[in-house]
Amino acid sequence: MEKYRTETQAIRTQIPRSPFQEHSAPLYLTSSFVFEDAEDMRASFAEEKERTLYSRYSNPNTDELIRKVCLMEGAEQGFAFASGMAAVFSTFAALLDSGDHIVASRSVFGSTHTLFTQILPRWNISHSYFRFDDLESIESLIRPNTRILYAESPTNPGVDVLDLEALGKIAKKHGLLLVIDNCFATPYLQQPIRFGADVVIHSGTKLMDGQGRVLAGLAVGPEALIDRIYRFARITGPALSPFNAWVLSKSLETLPVRVDRHCENALEVARFLESHPAVNWVKYPFLPSHPQYALAKKQMKAGGCVVAFEVRGGVDGGRAFFDRIGLLSLSANLGDTRTIVTHPASTTHSKLSVEERLESGITDGMVRISVGLEHPEDIKADLDQALRAIP
Ligand SMILES: *Cc1c(COP(=O)(O)O)cnc(C)c1O
């Protein structure tokens, strides 16, 4: 499958057919697998043979999903988790020891921030943050016990773009592992391993499923690192359910066509918002006005589905706007076929102080819109009537 292009890999990566010769991969909804005899069982548990024995370790459906994402990301091996956060936590838990230190971008997903500030410190794992627009400060934050350099790009919810190649060089120079959360871009738009990332993490819940159905997470990277993650995960049990893996593997078959349309619609919505009098500013990686437009063009195939903008009138303006939204959904997810609008300051990032939010580029009137696959004219019409409600 290596010789094929992403679109083909997304469709044609499939576990071997069963004796029924099904065309589309069946669902192996089973917790365990049977052995031929005592010797088969002994050898399987001794890991002398590669085979599926228990779905906490592996399952044909999760195997197919992992194989597919590895091919699309250009990675050797991977593990599939019950959620994106299980992938994030397990990666840190497997690769770090008590006393280790992480240098991370300040602009990370809200739960990842809580992991850094409240959970990992309980095992004496500390972190230092750098600003997404100040990669020069990273070297001054690195300590003798720093092991991981961590970032997301584009960021949530500010859609800022970080220079992956520059991060890769810093990580290499200092012997750090570069771990990138590639959720916003998907392997179709950006492959961080090409720029020097060691481990790539995904929330499969977002664009990968794309239809708001299942939670899932993945970590992919070199065999040796993923083996450490696998050994941690097979004991602690964050494995993805075979059902969700089956759904997600089918979702990936249409990822390239869906993401192309998401990006087209998002660019159109971003341009519309940029010209709207009730909007102060708009940020979208593929809008020429984006501060890292050239960088986005260099490392991404298209801009993704998320647009950030600020409505006039701060919190009051935001509330008036949200109360008038009709067709679009007020929801916490993103990357869905349905367009979703969220207010980060009062929802996903409400646990942060105002100062912490501003450091991540989140203002009170900021809106995050995940542009879906409805007709762009209908999306724009709903936004327009809601924006007109702002006093
Ligand atoms: C949603 C999200 C996660 C967490 O994924 P879940 O599947 O919800 O656990 C991690 N990182 C980013 C960037 C996300 O958007």
Side-chain angles (χ1 to χ4, degrees), residues 58-131:
S58 71
N59 170 283
N61 294 118
T62 50
D63 286 351
E64 178 180 293
L65 172 68
I66 292 165
R67 199 69 252 132
K68 201 177 268 196
V69 175
C70 283
L71 283 162
M72 295 172 81
E73 285 287 5
E76 281 173 15
Q77 208 26 286
F79 192 82
F81 297 89
S83 70
M85 283 319 298
V88 174
F89 173 71
S90 300
T91 299
F92 290 129
L95 301 182
L96 296 176
D97 289 315
S98 175
D100 285 349
H101 176 250
I102 301 162
V103 172
S105 157
R106 179 67 199 79
S107 306
V108 290
F109 186 64
S111 298
T112 306
H113 168 71
T114 308
L115 186 64
F116 288 148
T117 53
Q118 290 176 31
I119 312 263
L120 292 178
R122 293 171 51 205
W123 290 287
N124 194 24
I125 293 169
S126 55
H127 73 283
S128 303
Y129 278 139
F130 64 89
R131 280 181 58 111

Side-chain angles (χ1 to χ4, degrees), residues 81-88 107-112 150 152-156 181-184 201-206 214-218 332-334 368:
F81 297 89
S83 70
M85 283 319 298
V88 174
S107 306
V108 290
F109 186 64
S111 298
T112 306
Y150 185 86
E152 297 172 12
S153 183
T155 62
N156 180 22
D181 181 335
N182 199 28
C183 168
F184 265 47
I201 289 177
H202 278 289
S203 165
T205 316
K206 313 295 169 56
V214 297
L215 285 166
L218 287 119
N333 198 14
L334 66 92
R368 182 189 80 183

